[in-house]
Amino acid sequence: MTDKTVIIGLEIHCQLNTKTKLFCGCSTDFQGDEPNTHVCPICLGLPGAMPRLNKQAVLYALKVAKALNLTVPEVSEFSRKNYFYPDLPKGYQISQYDKPIAENGIMEVDDDEGHPKKVRITRIHLEEDPGRLVHKSSRDRAGYSLVDYNRSSIPLIEIVTEPDLRSPKEARRFLNKLRSTLEYLEVFDGEREGSIRVDANISIKGHNRVECKNISSYKGVEKALNFEITRQRNLIRKGQKIEQETRHFLEGRGITTSSRSKEDENDYRYFPEPDLRPLRVSGWVDDIELPELPDARRERFMAQYAISENHARTLTGDLKVANFYESVADADPAIAATWVADILLGEINYRSMRIDDVPAMNIADLIALIRDDTITDKSGVEVLRTMLDQCMGEDPESCEMPADIVTRLGLTKAAGDDFTDIIREVITANPNAVADYRAGKKGAVNFLVGQVMKATRGRADPKELNTAMAAALKEAED
């Protein structure tokens, strides 16, 4: 149930998927490389080094602005945000302040009752990332820390919402939809380390606001907000004041701890960046073409493939999953929707696999086997699990085809009549269940059918087997 006294706003830092940094030509592809190997005088902030703006990052920011219905002002500009961090060598961050690249947008999400609601987006601004501190052991217990500047000047957009969210679950749905939209736009790679970080502002109506900073997962945002709601309500109940402050979220413990008093904007001493000219890019927006976005794709899936809204929502929530579904839907759209949304995603999540690790042609083969009644649904699950277990860590193209697994394991579907001997054995071995059935406890037949299914490894159709079992029980009674 939505609580209207809870007030939540989000500031989301998303890494743009450019090949080079925001103000220099250093590569952004440093995952797994040695620290401080993707740096230059510009991203290290050495004296005399002049930044030059990455055009691709600007185009990506405008693409996001257009998708989220923001207005791009005629002029925007960069500012210096002055503060000291050991991983910020210049002593200031080049960001945008009172003239962002885009402002006043809307994104629609479902509230906790399932009704659509509009969340206002205050602004999108471009900024550079600082470096990264590496703490030996834990953050709180480290004897010393190291600094890695490979992240310095990585291009970010910060998306700031109005405080329109009313629950932690609503905030998580907003973030999931935002991630999905950015991936559809192909400006963001959610699998990159540090690709998204969230500052969550939360207050109880009539009380001070608290900022939980640098949360790196969607689940973490929901947990941090849940903790803060409880903490703040407990303070109010005790008559204590909620301090306006910045808090750090300890994800492993699911708690927030005080970090520092909340700075005001004046504390940062913003002033225009003298080494970068004002941006005049509003005229570029009309030339930007948007792809089909998640909401539109969901509607198309429902219309084109006649699948349920729930299935369409699950399948279109992730670009790669949506593409995967369309690559196997020809086999049978309805069966494909059920198997991809309800079964395959759960199985790969259990194995910590990605949809990219699964060969689409194999799943299409499996769907065809089910569509043609070659195997039962139960056998289908066994085939899928066998195949996925083989695929883990292997080249997807080398995975065994489902039809071959069916042949190798002898899982071809058979009629109930084919199990006459097994049915008789089950009836003989379970006299109590048979007596219950004859005493009017019709549910006992499900137990007997289950025993046959177990003995036959699910090769029989349950409906046909029920009929065959009923006939066998009647014959035995006669």
Side-chain angles (χ1 to χ4, degrees):
M1 183 69 73
T2 300
D3 184 344
K4 294 183 179 178
T5 66
V6 173
I7 301 169
I8 298 170
L10 301 176
E11 299 171 13
I12 306 120
H13 301 79
C14 306
Q15 178 176 337
L16 295 174
N17 201 19
T18 59
K19 292 181 179 176
T20 56
K21 294 184 178 181
L22 186 55
F23 297 121
C24 65
C26 291
S27 171
T28 57
D29 185 14
F30 54 79
Q31 301 292 332
D33 289 350
E34 289 295 314
N36 301 312
T37 54
H38 292 254
V39 294
C40 71
I42 295 173
C43 56
L44 286 175
L46 298 185
M50 298 284 284
R52 63 177 186 276
L53 182 59
N54 184 329
K55 182 179 179 181
Q56 188 64 62
V58 175
L59 287 169
Y60 281 175
L62 293 176
K63 200 172 184 182
V64 177
K66 188 169 185 176
L68 300 182
N69 310 297
L70 281 88
T71 300
V72 177
E74 186 175 342
V75 180
S76 61
E77 68 179 22
F78 287 94
S79 295
R80 291 187 178 183
K81 182 181 181 182
N82 295 278
Y83 62 100
F84 171 76
Y85 272 158
D87 56 1
L88 189 62
K90 293 193 291 283
Y92 61 85
Q93 178 187 25
I94 301 179
S95 179
Q96 293 186 308
Y97 176 47
D98 54 347
K99 294 180 181 177
I101 194 166
E103 54 195 5
N104 301 323
I106 291 286
M107 192 171 83
E108 193 170 273
V109 294
D110 288 344
D111 65 17
D112 286 354
E113 280 76 44
H115 305 304
K117 69 174 287 184
K118 292 179 179 176
V119 177
R120 293 169 295 164
I121 297 171
T122 314
R123 56 190 274 149
I124 291 177
H125 64 253
L126 271 164
E127 66 182 24
E128 62 177 342
D129 212 2
R132 185 170 75 99
L133 292 179
V134 181
H135 306 288
K136 304 309 286 184
S137 73
S138 71
R139 177 190 175 96
D140 298 329
R141 298 178 181 176
Y144 62 94
S145 297
L146 304 172
V147 187
D148 179 5
Y149 290 116
N150 279 347
R151 282 200 70 83
S152 287
S153 199
I154 288 290
L156 305 177
I157 51 171
E158 181 171 343
I159 300 170
V160 182
T161 78
E162 291 291 308
D164 291 341
L165 297 160
R166 293 290 172 267
S167 77
K169 286 189 181 299
E170 207 171 273
R172 187 168 175 181
R173 276 194 294 276
F174 178 88
L175 290 170
N176 284 338
K177 184 168 182 181
L178 178 64
R179 175 197 54 77
S180 175
T181 301
L182 296 178
E183 288 182 343
Y184 271 67
L185 293 172
E186 297 184 328
V187 302
F188 168 81
D189 180 358
E191 294 181 2
R192 275 190 173 184
E193 182 186 353
S195 61
I196 192 165
R197 298 190 301 277
V198 180
D199 300 342
N201 293 286
I202 180 167
S203 62
I204 306 297
K205 192 173 183 179
H207 297 273
N208 279 332
R209 174 167 55 92
V210 167
E211 181 182 44
C212 299
K213 210 163 177 60
N214 280 334
I215 310 169
S216 58
S217 73
Y218 312 105
K219 191 176 179 181
V221 172
E222 186 178 353
K223 287 170 71 175
L225 290 171
N226 275 321
F227 178 85
E228 268 303 302
I229 290 171
T230 302
R231 187 186 72 84
Q232 292 182 24
R233 282 187 170 147
N234 284 339
L235 290 174
I236 294 169
R237 192 161 41 245
K238 295 173 184 174
Q240 298 178 12
K241 180 183 177 183
I242 297 172
E243 298 294 336
Q244 180 171 331
E245 63 180 345
T246 297
R247 296 181 70 85
H248 179 68
F249 177 58
L250 303 178
E251 188 144 10
R253 298 169 59 190
I255 66 171
T256 67
T257 57
S258 182
S259 176
R260 63 178 187 268
S261 297
K262 173 69 177 165
E263 295 94 343
D264 292 324
E265 289 180 340
N266 287 338
D267 295 327
Y268 290 116
R269 296 292 188 270
Y270 281 99
F271 64 85
E273 165 59 56
D275 294 334
L276 290 167
R277 292 189 299 176
L279 275 177
R280 298 177 185 274
V281 292
S282 59
W284 297 6
V285 178
D286 289 343
D287 294 332
I288 294 175
E289 292 186 9
L290 296 180
E292 183 182 42
L293 295 175
D295 287 349
R297 199 167 194 183
R298 183 180 72 243
E299 295 296 326
R300 178 170 67 78
F301 273 21
M302 293 167 61
Q304 180 175 343
Y305 299 115
I307 61 177
S308 72
E309 182 174 0
N310 281 341
H311 276 159
R313 191 178 294 277
T314 301
L315 294 169
T316 56
D318 182 290
L319 176 62
K320 290 179 179 177
V321 173
N323 291 340
F324 185 93
Y325 170 72
E326 294 223 80
S327 70
V328 301
D330 284 347
D332 187 295
I335 294 175
T338 299
W339 275 80
V340 175
D342 296 345
I343 302 171
L344 177 61
L345 293 181
E347 293 291 336
I348 63 174
N349 185 53
Y350 173 73
R351 291 166 176 77
S352 298
M353 296 173 71
R354 302 172 304 172
I355 198 72
D356 294 343
D357 300 327
V358 183
M361 62 183 295
N362 291 39
I363 299 301
D365 185 44
L366 175 63
I367 292 166
L369 291 169
I370 294 164
R371 177 201 61 199
D372 297 341
D373 260 356
T374 303
I375 58 174
T376 64
D377 286 352
K378 189 174 177 62
S379 294
V381 172
E382 182 174 348
V383 171
L384 178 64
R385 289 174 176 169
T386 302
M387 186 189 76
L388 292 178
D389 288 343
Q390 291 176 352
C391 286
M392 291 177 67
E394 301 293 332
D395 178 1
E397 293 185 3
S398 68
C399 296
E400 189 175 11
M401 291 298 288
D404 296 333
I405 296 173
V406 168
T407 301
R408 179 167 59 83
L409 299 182
L411 293 174
T412 304
K413 180 179 174 182
D417 290 347
D418 294 344
F419 300 116
T420 302
D421 291 342
I422 296 176
I423 290 173
R424 286 174 180 160
E425 289 171 10
V426 167
I427 290 174
T428 301
N430 296 278
N432 291 338
V434 172
D436 287 344
Y437 174 75
R438 287 172 180 159
K441 296 180 181 178
K442 300 302 180 186
V445 74
N446 295 331
F447 171 77
L448 295 169
V449 167
Q451 296 305 302
V452 179
M453 290 291 283
K454 185 177 178 181
T456 59
R457 299 178 60 197
R459 290 177 55 220
D461 181 279
K463 192 173 178 181
E464 292 179 15
L465 198 52
N466 262 294
T467 302
M469 177 61 75
L473 286 167
K474 186 173 187 310
E475 181 182 336
E477 189 174 9
D478 294 341

